[in-house]
Amino acid sequence: MTNIESLNKALKERILVLDGAMGTMLQRYKFEEEDYRGERFKDWEHPVKGNNDLLSLTQPQAIEEVHKKYLEAGADILETNTFSGTTIAMADYHMEELVYELNYESAKIARKACDEYTAKNPDKPRFVAGSIGPTNRTASLSPDVNDPGYRAITFEELRVAYKQQCEALLDGGSDILLVETIFDTLNAKAALFAIDELQEKRGIKIPIMVSGTITDASGRTLSGQTADAFLISVSHLNLLSVGFNCALGADQLTPYLETLAHNSEFYVSAYPNAGLPNAFGKYDETPEDMARQIKEYVEKGLINIIGGCCGTTPEHIKAIAELVEKYEPRKLKEFV
């Protein structure tokens, strides 16, 4: 059975668990500038602290350790450590030339961990989702309040950058490509266009997860779309799943997941934050609190894939995994 067949089989049988936050876990290591640099980049001319994707090259054992903690907690799907793995985001560190290697090596680390745990328990196969973040540019909005027509990035520049990232993620062993934390759907469309090109070029079908982010209580993405509009905007492709992550806690996300669950023919995913950040930017919600809120999702039959975003840890994922194993996954609707 291929990984894609295993994935489709698992989704029909149970709610799959996505891992939790990589950044939250890496903060525990208290890495400093020299740790980020490692031996290879000790003479790099620019500061690199904060470039978490680089740690896949300089601290790969830490990345693998985090992955294994999430697998131990019950995660079925691991995200690669590549949220900022495009030439656009890496330009902040003058590391555009490293993009292929960063994505390839990150996918390899996650692949190795997943294969190890699948071998231990073949009845619970583990999958790698190549993480594709939104970049730090937006194709729909001007960064200059005095020039509303100005754009800091073009669709074509985004397409080229995403295509390079996706090729490396696939070459490194990703089973799924996850376009996540979408605040501007036009950026996501560039990523989806690039993935579609790759499907055609390689003659393969790539499972694609799409996850937007509702930025505030207005129920809209940063570029102004409602949950309904977001769903319509990305539904032209044959997606594996559509969902929301980040920005909100589990409680606040419920009505938007209801919109997706009632109107989508795709699987639905959710990975909320551990509540809303406190005055110090920390997330206080306990694993028990988060699981209690997510119970509403499963009781209403809203989700197929569940995990955690900012502030979540293996303890959160363990509590969520233990909760959802008692519930049936959302059934796909047949749309005529």
Side-chain angles (χ1 to χ4, degrees):
M1 192 183 292
T2 66
N3 280 9
I4 291 181
E5 287 168 339
S6 294
L7 175 62
N8 286 326
K9 182 173 182 288
L11 278 164
K12 286 182 175 71
E13 293 172 350
R14 57 199 172 86
I15 296 170
L16 295 191
V17 177
L18 191 68
D19 61 6
M22 174 62 78
T24 299
M25 293 300 289
L26 290 175
Q27 284 172 8
R28 295 181 175 185
Y29 288 85
K30 296 185 166 39
F31 287 139
E32 295 298 335
E33 181 72 29
E34 59 269 25
D35 302 305
Y36 276 87
R37 288 172 177 267
E39 186 60 30
R40 180 174 166 186
F41 300 101
K42 65 178 184 183
D43 298 324
W44 196 256
E45 292 178 6
H46 308 279
V48 295
K49 186 179 176 184
N51 185 358
N52 283 351
D53 294 30
L54 182 63
L55 295 172
S56 292
L57 302 183
T58 57
Q59 303 290 341
Q61 72 291 341
I63 304 301
E64 186 175 350
E65 203 169 73
V66 172
H67 282 328
K68 286 183 174 179
K69 283 179 179 170
Y70 281 123
L71 291 170
E72 204 61 51
D76 298 289
I77 304 171
L78 281 186
E79 286 192 59
T80 55
N81 179 41
T82 54
F83 186 79
S84 301
T86 57
T87 49
I88 296 161
M90 281 296 139
D92 288 354
Y93 303 97
H94 305 271
M95 287 184 157
E96 297 95 321
E97 294 301 315
L98 292 170
V99 161
Y100 184 91
E101 186 185 0
L102 285 171
N103 285 280
Y104 179 79
E105 292 299 330
S106 293
K108 267 180 68 178
I109 295 167
R111 176 82 275 149
K112 177 172 174 275
C114 280
D115 289 349
E116 194 178 305
Y117 275 74
T118 299
K120 285 182 192 174
N121 183 3
D123 292 335
K124 186 178 166 66
R126 313 299 179 103
F127 307 98
V128 177
S131 169
I132 301 163
T135 83
N136 47 10
R137 308 282 179 90
T138 172
S140 291
L141 302 168
S142 172
D144 182 355
V145 292
N146 298 312
D147 186 0
Y150 173 70
R151 296 292 180 270
I153 193 83
T154 66
F155 185 92
E156 178 61 11
E157 287 168 329
L158 286 163
R159 181 195 69 80
V160 169
Y162 282 130
K163 191 171 183 180
Q164 181 188 20
Q165 180 180 27
C166 292
E167 292 211 81
L169 288 170
L170 291 172
D171 292 347
S174 298
D175 301 302
I176 301 161
L177 291 179
L178 168 56
V179 183
E180 64 172 329
T181 321
I182 299 163
F183 59 81
D184 183 348
T185 310
L186 193 55
N187 285 35
K189 278 178 169 286
L192 294 171
F193 189 87
I195 294 168
D196 210 25
E197 284 186 315
L198 281 177
Q199 292 189 117
E200 196 173 327
K201 176 184 171 185
R202 298 190 177 200
I204 58 173
K205 175 156 183 359
I206 303 165
I208 307 164
M209 293 176 66
V210 166
S211 185
T213 186
I214 299 290
T215 50
D216 57 34
S218 71
R220 294 174 182 268
T221 64
L222 186 67
S223 54
Q225 284 191 311
T226 60
D228 257 333
F230 170 71
L231 175 61
I232 291 164
S233 295
V234 297
S235 291
H236 59 290
L237 271 181
N238 184 19
L239 304 175
L240 178 73
S241 70
V242 64
F244 289 116
N245 73 290
C246 202
L248 302 176
D251 217 11
Q252 295 90 355
L253 208 53
T254 307
Y256 313 116
L257 291 177
E258 287 177 323
T259 296
L260 296 185
H262 297 151
N263 297 293
S264 173
E265 70 242 59
F266 309 123
Y267 293 115
V268 170
S269 71
Y271 48 116
N273 291 345
L276 297 174
N278 62 26
F280 304 101
K282 302 289 184 188
Y283 294 85
D284 299 325
E285 205 160 82
T286 66
E288 295 71 30
D289 287 340
M290 197 167 175
R292 190 163 54 248
Q293 291 168 30
I294 284 169
K295 193 174 181 185
E296 185 178 4
Y297 300 176
V298 289
E299 285 178 339
K300 289 182 173 179
L302 301 180
I303 56 165
N304 305 93
I305 301 169
I306 184 73
C309 206
C310 304
T312 57
T313 64
E315 291 75 28
H316 290 84
I317 297 306
K318 186 171 189 289
I320 291 167
E322 287 172 355
L323 166 76
V324 302
E325 69 181 357
K326 307 181 190 82
Y327 290 86
E328 291 290 309
R330 167 182 163 271
K331 298 291 178 239
L332 292 195
K333 288 185 178 182
E334 293 295 329
F335 285 82
V336 180

